[in-house]
Structures are given as C-alpha cells and as structure tokens.
C-alpha cells in the first residue's frame, strides 16, 4: 500500500507535468492541514485562507520544479510558514504606516523629532496618493482616518463586509507606500516608523 509521503510525491510529479486533476487532489488533501497551520500562526481565519490560496498558487506557478522535491509535505508546510511570516511582517508595517499617516495628516507631529523630515511635503504626497485611490477604497480610508470610524462602523454604514473594509485599508496603505517610494520619501518615513515603535 502506498504511504502518504509516496502518494504526495506522486501527485507532485503529476502536477509538474501539468496535471490539473492531481493539483485538485493535492488541494483537497492539504487544504485543511495548511489552513490549520496558518491559523495557528496568524490567529485569523481570513488571512489563513488567503495564505492557503497563495501557497497553492505558488505550487501551480512553480510546478516545473516539483518533481525534484523529495519531501513534498515538508515543502508545503515550509512554504506556508514563510508566507505567514511575510504576512505578519507586512501587517506590522501596515499598522505602523497607518499610525504615521494619521499623525501626519492630523498634524500631530510632536512625537517626531523636530525638522527630522519635511512634514508639509509628506502630508502633500499622502493627500495626493489618497486622491488617486479607487472611489470605494478612498471612502473607506477617509471614513477610518478622517471620521475615526471603526471597521465595524464602516461595515454598518456602507453595508459591506469587514473583510472588504480590511482589504481596502491594506490596499490603500500599500498604494500610499508605493507612491511615497516613487517620490523618494519612503525611506525617511520608514525610518521614522521604526524609530518610534
């Protein structure tokens, strides 16, 4: 009788050849196990499911090298752990970035070193970035930042899911970071974020 490791190895070989049926079988066999591991690290069912999707997307897009992997199960769990750690780091940075954006736009600069950077320029660039957000993303961002609404209050007001609100905020902060980076201000901002946390 074929053991679990041998079976997964056989699936990897078939997937490497572009076998979609084998990919579906692998997904069904490992979905819950990978999700459970991600949930232990992230404490969020939403992000755990996102990680599962990322893991299997990576498996399919890099399927050409799967036949060479000797321990497929270990490989799957290693990818999962790496993705979770990346998510944790991004989430920490997004929280810190959101704090700094709020401080800058609300002109609460007393926590930062005087003249450590051009607050007016950063405020101008952040406002430019916000104006370039998609309509609903901009609305969610401004309700949270300007009106001080919680995610749940935004859910109630806009009649959208909490996950949608969270996604809009994540995308907005990512766009603002990218915009500041493009304008050459991101390094200074990130230094300030890490210095004060």
């Amino acid at each position: 009788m074929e053991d679990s490791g041998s079976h997964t190895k056989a699936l990897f070989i078939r997937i490497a050849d572009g076998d979609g049926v084998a990919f579906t079988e692998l997904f069904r066999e490992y979905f819950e196990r990978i999700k459970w591991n991600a949930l232990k690290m992230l404490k969020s069912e939403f992000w755990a499911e996102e990680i599962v999707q990322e893991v299997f997307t990576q498996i399919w897009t890099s399927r050409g090298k799967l036949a060479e992997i000797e321990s497929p199960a270990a490989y799957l769990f290693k990818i999962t752990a790496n993705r979770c750690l990346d998510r944790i780091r991004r989430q920490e940075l997004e929280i810190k970035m959101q704090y700094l954006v709020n401080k800058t736009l609300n002109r609460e600069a007393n926590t930062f070193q005087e003249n450590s950077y051009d607050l007016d320029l950063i405020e101008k660039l952040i406002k430019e970035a916000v104006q370039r957000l998609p309509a609903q993303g901009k609305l969610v961002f401004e309700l949270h930042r300007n009106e001080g609404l919680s995610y749940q209050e935004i859910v109630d007001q806009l009649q959208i899911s909490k996950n949608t609100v969270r996604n809009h905020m994540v995308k907005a902060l990512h766009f603002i970071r990218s915009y500041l980076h493009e304008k050459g201000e991101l390094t200074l901002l990130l230094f300030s974020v890490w210095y004060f946390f």
Side-chain angles (χ1 to χ4, degrees):
M1 181 178 177
E2 188 177 45
D3 64 30
S4 177
S6 299
H7 177 62
T8 305
K9 174 69 174 173
L11 289 177
F12 265 41
I13 292 171
R14 288 168 56 195
I15 294 167
D17 289 332
D19 188 333
V21 174
F23 179 78
T24 300
E25 188 175 341
L26 183 77
F27 183 86
R28 288 174 177 165
E29 287 187 12
Y30 279 89
F31 175 86
E32 289 297 336
R33 283 185 274 178
I34 289 176
K35 180 182 171 183
W36 185 78
N37 275 268
L39 189 57
K40 282 197 302 181
M41 293 184 70
L42 300 175
K43 314 300 183 190
S44 164
E45 186 154 353
F46 171 79
W47 286 117
E49 290 184 356
E50 288 288 304
I51 292 298
V52 174
Q53 296 298 327
E54 290 180 12
V55 167
F56 280 99
T57 297
Q58 181 175 340
I59 289 294
W60 184 253
T61 56
S62 61
R63 60 189 178 276
K65 65 179 183 179
L66 294 182
E68 304 167 7
I69 295 169
E70 293 301 322
S71 302
Y75 178 73
L76 286 168
F77 292 121
K78 181 179 179 181
I79 293 175
T80 302
N82 288 340
R83 290 280 179 170
C84 287
L85 291 172
D86 287 344
R87 177 65 248 166
I88 290 167
R89 284 191 286 265
R90 286 198 304 270
Q91 190 166 341
E92 288 175 349
L93 183 56
E94 284 156 5
I95 290 168
K96 292 168 184 176
M97 183 67 179
Q98 183 174 339
Y99 175 86
L100 182 59
V101 167
N102 288 343
K103 287 290 187 183
T104 302
L105 293 180
N106 292 327
R107 305 298 293 173
E108 297 173 10
N110 58 317
T111 55
F112 302 109
Q113 291 176 322
E114 187 176 359
N115 300 322
S116 62
Y117 54 83
D118 188 338
L119 189 62
D120 291 326
L121 174 59
I122 293 172
E123 179 179 3
K124 174 178 176 289
L125 293 174
I126 291 173
K127 286 182 176 178
E128 286 178 5
V130 171
Q131 291 304 311
R132 287 167 169 74
L133 293 171
Q136 191 172 45
K138 178 183 173 185
L139 177 60
V140 168
F141 181 85
E142 291 184 333
L143 285 174
H144 186 61
R145 194 265 301 168
N146 292 343
E147 305 298 327
L149 298 187
S150 68
Y151 283 11
Q152 187 57 54
E153 288 170 331
I154 296 172
V155 166
D156 295 338
Q157 180 167 326
L158 299 184
Q159 296 298 299
I160 57 179
S161 74
K162 199 166 188 177
N163 285 341
T164 300
V165 172
R166 184 184 294 111
N167 282 339
H168 279 309
M169 287 301 299
V170 168
K171 289 176 181 177
L173 291 168
H174 176 76
F175 180 78
I176 291 169
R177 285 203 310 275
S178 298
Y179 190 79
L180 290 171
H181 179 70
E182 178 186 325
K183 300 298 181 180
E185 295 296 324
L186 184 61
T187 302
L188 195 52
L189 271 172
L190 292 182
F191 171 79
S192 299
V193 170
W194 287 112
Y195 182 85
F196 290 103
F197 281 84

